[in-house]
Amino acid sequence: MCGIFGYIGPKQVSNMLVEGLRRLEYRGYDSTGIAVKNGNISIFKKVGKVADMESILPRAIHGTVGIAHTRWATHGGVTDENAHPHESFDSKVVIVHNGIIENSRSLRKHLVSQGIELNSETDSEALAHMIAIELNQDNNPLEAVKRCLKSAIGTWGLCALFKEHDVIVVARNGSPIVLGQGDGETFVSSDPHALTPHTQRVVYLDDGQVAVLDSNGIEVSRLHGGQIDTNVTLLENEWGVADLGDYSHFMLKEIYEQPEALRQCVRGRMDLATGNGRLRGLKIKPAELRKVPHIRIIGCGTALHAGMIGQLVIEKMARLPAVSHVASEFRHNDPVIDPEALHFAISQSGETADTLSAVKEIQLKGGQVHGVVNVVGSTIARQCGTGVYIHSGPEQAVASTKAFSNMVAALSMFAIQIARSRDLTKEKAIEYISALEEIPDLIEQYLQDQGPIMEAVDALKDAKSVLFLGRGVSAPVAAEGALKLMEVAYIPCLAYPAGEMKHGPIALLEKGSPVVIIAPDDHVKQKTISAIHECRARGAKIILIHEQGDDISQEGDISIAVPKVHNLFSPLLTVVPLQLIAYHTALQLGCDVDRPRNLAKSVTVE
Ligand code: F6R
């Protein structure tokens, strides 16, 4: 959740640390800090965003070694004292830490009993003191960090800086860490995205590994064992650019990037002539696909909603049972895993701890799990080993938009591929592929003529709560629309399959209550119209998302039309006005659209 950046080399480090944090700010933005080694170690930290911390920096900070952190609070409130970096009692060690130290209470108690004064309420600070105590034994930074971590229980992405040594020691257990190798300079980050301006050559640290960085290179060893070879990977170029361009916010930019992102996702993966899919990263032969008894899709938030749509598309095309699961529940429910079944872990960041735990649970029980992931080389992608990269490009806004569309597209392509290994005819498959390939153009068409979005915003912005309804593939779209509005505009939203409304949520409706209804022209439309009538009868105001040329438009108080598309793929169109509604409502309410309160882009704690 939090972001880490560090550098050791010949260059002045302070500006680089601030820039690194800017690229990581979407990971957490309660408070920010940097530490620069310059004889002593100078620390600057402050509650707020990178710009707030930058405002307290002196004009020049000399030093060519440093570490930096942007925080999403877990232990201890959002205060300057709790912000990272944390310094040891003797000022010889400074650390930044992502993750949670579960036994921090007892570690802190033990430190206090040794006369050490703790300056923060965090679990992380204890590590700085413990490393300093160990360092006093043999003055060996690597061994000091290793001995300290052997007494810690929990998760860490840890960087330690030493007053008397020109090295950074880094450790990983359950919190992502990636190292960057430049020419005569070395970097560390919690996210490859912050490394791309500096180097494309990276080393992914695995759980249980520790590394010593100096300006000449990286030495990796195991916490409980010997040295290991460093495998340098080249980052993909496409990941490099994530600037705002002419857009005012990343969320808007990413909404507009959906057509191109979808083209990237689908390109070269479908054969229109034969009606076959070519998702090679899955590494499953058609004969194996034929035998799969069922599919399970696991994810959180927006990824889960994409998975819920994928489930319906797979079941419809391949006539194969498919089910989606909330990742944070999965492992704890002790699921029965069939080794013949296929599991998909779906995640934009590839770092979501709940989803990663589900992956490990499936693997532990002998199951096959494939990633449907955006960030190349991320933990979930590497843990799964096989899967489908969704190729959305960098998603910087905390609220996910273009990754959702590409997740739906990736699962739809898989649905076609597995359906073809079964009973789907070539003709039908070609129909699906053509429909999928048309979608980017249709989204572009919609973006040029968005309909009365601002009228919808007016109807929603002062609402006490908003109900979102849809049926079939539109039920998860309703859930996604509700999630978007809730997370960026802080309006309480409830999403229900339209038929469930009369079983409870209808009690909320009173004169003027806004209800957003997604009703493409599919086989459940007539049933959705009944729900619309039930809402209207209670005085609700209907904001209707429907397909162009459909008479249903008369059913809405505010009707927003999207281009007509194949029924199974309608979510890729109907979600776009919902994303725009959330974006513009948040703007009208003065919310920080790209960095909503309390959230973080990558949720690496369970
Ligand atoms: C919604 C949102 C979150 C994420 C969820 C999963 O806009 O950003 O709900 O979708 O935390 O994240 P990933 O896809 O990175 O696993």
Side-chain angles (χ1 to χ4, degrees):
M1 326 244 345
C2 314
I4 286 180
F5 186 78
Y7 172 82
I8 180 162
K11 296 178 187 148
Q12 291 299 318
V13 75
S14 62
N15 286 342
M16 211 187 304
L17 294 177
V18 172
E19 265 323 297
L21 287 181
R22 273 219 180 85
R23 292 179 81 92
L24 294 174
E25 199 174 27
Y26 68 109
R27 293 183 71 98
Y29 34 82
D30 292 343
S31 38
T32 318
I34 65 171
V36 177
K37 185 169 175 249
N38 44 15
N40 291 318
I41 302 176
S42 309
I43 298 177
F44 306 91
K45 53 186 189 175
K46 187 159 175 49
V47 164
K49 302 204 169 128
V50 177
D52 298 303
M53 192 269 302
E54 213 183 350
S55 70
I56 61 160
L57 294 181
R59 192 162 323 149
I61 310 168
H62 294 291
T64 62
V65 186
I67 56 178
H69 191 263
T70 173
R71 179 171 187 243
W72 185 86
T74 54
H75 279 60
V78 181
T79 63
D80 289 347
E81 292 72 30
N82 290 341
H84 297 221
H86 292 288
E87 184 180 32
S88 64
F89 59 90
D90 56 4
S91 304
K92 288 188 180 170
V93 178
V94 170
I95 62 115
V96 292
H97 166 237
N98 289 353
I100 294 177
I101 302 301
E102 288 161 17
N103 59 339
S104 64
R105 271 173 87 109
S106 66
L107 296 176
R108 285 171 66 97
K109 226 165 132 185
H110 179 66
L111 288 166
V112 171
S113 74
Q114 291 186 297
I116 290 173
E117 195 185 322
L118 291 149
N119 299 311
S120 75
E121 303 153 341
T122 64
D123 53 337
S124 310
E125 185 193 345
L127 299 178
H129 301 301
M130 287 161 64
I131 295 170
I133 292 170
E134 296 297 339
L135 193 66
N136 283 335
Q137 283 192 28
D138 55 6
N139 207 23
N140 181 327
L142 173 64
E143 292 308 320
V145 169
K146 283 186 171 178
R147 284 196 299 272
C148 154
L149 289 178
K150 282 176 189 162
S151 343
I153 300 170
T155 55
W156 53 81
L158 174 76
C159 278
L161 201 61
F162 301 85
K163 185 178 161 200
E164 290 164 1
H165 300 266
D166 271 339
V167 293
I168 300 176
V169 178
V170 178
R172 170 185 169 141
N173 189 42
S175 240
I177 286 285
V178 56
L179 312 173
Q181 182 65 77
D183 294 326
E185 54 185 3
T186 309
F187 303 83
V188 51
S189 177
S190 47
D191 185 330
H193 179 57
L195 298 180
T196 48
H198 306 288
T199 180
Q200 303 293 311
R201 288 183 290 145
V202 301
V203 175
Y204 292 101
L205 219 57
D206 283 329
D207 283 351
Q209 294 184 344
V210 188
V212 180
L213 318 186
D214 63 22
S215 40
N216 297 319
I218 299 164
E219 274 191 10
V220 183
S221 57
R222 289 194 186 86
L223 183 58
H224 300 279
Q227 197 140 325
I228 42 181
D229 291 340
T230 47
N231 286 325
V232 177
T233 309
L234 278 186
L235 282 176
E236 291 192 11
N237 276 335
E238 69 177 81
W239 204 253
V241 198
D243 298 324
L244 265 178
D246 293 335
Y247 290 91
S248 46
H249 296 93
F250 279 110
M251 184 176 175
L252 189 65
K253 177 175 184 249
E254 289 157 11
I255 292 171
Y256 273 79
E257 281 174 349
Q258 285 176 112
E260 199 41 44
L262 274 169
R263 289 188 188 105
Q264 289 285 349
C265 178
V266 175
R267 188 166 293 146
R269 287 168 150 181
M270 293 277 104
D271 184 343
L272 196 56
T274 60
N276 292 339
R278 295 194 205 113
L279 295 173
R280 295 206 175 92
L282 285 177
K283 302 198 174 90
I284 315 174
K285 299 196 180 82
E288 289 163 349
L289 279 180
R290 241 195 115 66
K291 287 195 229 136
V292 170
H294 63 258
I295 309 262
R296 290 168 108 172
I297 305 168
I298 298 125
C300 304
T302 290
L304 174 67
H305 298 150
M308 290 158 77
I309 295 166
Q311 153 194 347
L312 295 170
V313 175
I314 291 167
E315 197 151 307
K316 176 77 185 162
M317 288 186 188
R319 312 307 305 140
L320 176 70
V323 63
S324 50
H325 294 268
V326 175
S328 54
E329 290 291 300
F330 191 77
R331 170 166 75 107
H332 306 288
N333 290 343
D334 192 13
V336 175
I337 300 296
D338 181 338
E340 301 296 321
L342 283 191
H343 301 81
F344 286 103
I346 180 159
S347 173
Q348 188 288 128
S349 62
E351 302 295 350
T352 303
D354 291 320
T355 311
L356 182 61
S357 301
V359 169
K360 291 182 177 164
E361 173 78 8
I362 295 162
Q363 291 173 335
L364 191 76
K365 292 180 170 171
Q368 312 171 48
V369 52
H370 305 274
V372 177
V373 171
N374 192 30
V375 178
V376 176
S378 55
T379 309
I380 292 173
R382 288 182 299 125
Q383 182 74 30
C384 291
T386 51
V388 186
Y389 279 121
I390 64 169
H391 296 311
S392 301
E395 199 181 59
Q396 288 274 286
V398 165
S400 187
T401 53
K402 62 178 179 170
F404 170 83
S405 308
N406 280 21
M407 286 166 179
V408 172
L411 289 172
S412 302
M413 289 190 286
F414 169 74
I416 297 172
Q417 183 163 333
I418 191 165
R420 281 291 278 143
S421 77
R422 293 164 173 252
D423 298 325
L424 187 73
T425 63
K426 177 177 157 187
E427 291 66 33
K428 196 76 192 156
I430 289 173
E431 183 190 315
Y432 287 138
I433 295 172
S434 323
L436 197 56
E437 288 183 344
E438 244 195 334
I439 286 170
D441 290 350
L442 296 178
I443 299 178
E444 270 162 5
Q445 203 178 306
Y446 169 70
L447 287 171
Q448 275 163 25
D449 179 11
Q450 298 175 6
I453 293 285
M454 297 316 287
E455 265 184 58
V457 170
D458 275 346
L460 293 172
K461 69 181 195 319
D462 300 317
K464 274 193 298 196
S465 66
V466 183
L467 185 58
F468 283 74
L469 302 176
R471 272 176 189 266
V473 287
S474 300
V477 178
E480 179 58 10
L483 177 64
K484 285 290 91 87
L485 186 61
M486 191 157 48
E487 64 185 339
V488 298
Y490 318 141
I491 298 175
C493 295
L494 205 57
Y496 262 81
E500 273 293 288
M501 194 229 0
K502 57 189 177 295
H503 298 289
I506 197 166
L508 293 177
L509 299 183
E510 52 192 27
K511 196 166 167 19
S513 302
V515 181
V516 180
I517 301 189
I518 299 99
D521 189 10
D522 59 16
H523 68 292
V524 285
K525 184 179 78 174
Q526 283 310 322
K527 293 276 179 210
T528 308
I529 290 176
S530 310
I532 296 176
H533 292 168
E534 287 154 15
C535 293
R536 294 195 85 103
R538 274 95 195 158
K541 183 162 192 167
I542 308 296
I543 298 162
L544 181 67
I545 314 293
H546 66 92
E547 287 182 334
Q548 272 164 7
D550 189 342
D551 286 349
I552 195 178
S553 62
Q554 294 155 13
E555 303 282 351
D557 295 294
I558 299 165
S559 295
I560 299 172
V562 296
K564 184 152 183 55
V565 65
H566 191 291
N567 283 172
L568 280 178
F569 303 136
S570 65
L572 292 169
L573 266 300
T574 53
V575 78
V576 183
L578 301 181
Q579 295 166 341
L580 288 166
I581 286 173
Y583 170 78
H584 288 291
T585 309
L587 270 193
Q588 294 253 319
L589 293 174
C591 303
D592 185 343
V593 183
D594 283 341
R595 306 278 179 268
R597 70 182 179 209
N598 303 338
L599 294 176
K601 183 70 181 164
S602 150
V603 186
T604 53
V605 292
E606 277 187 65

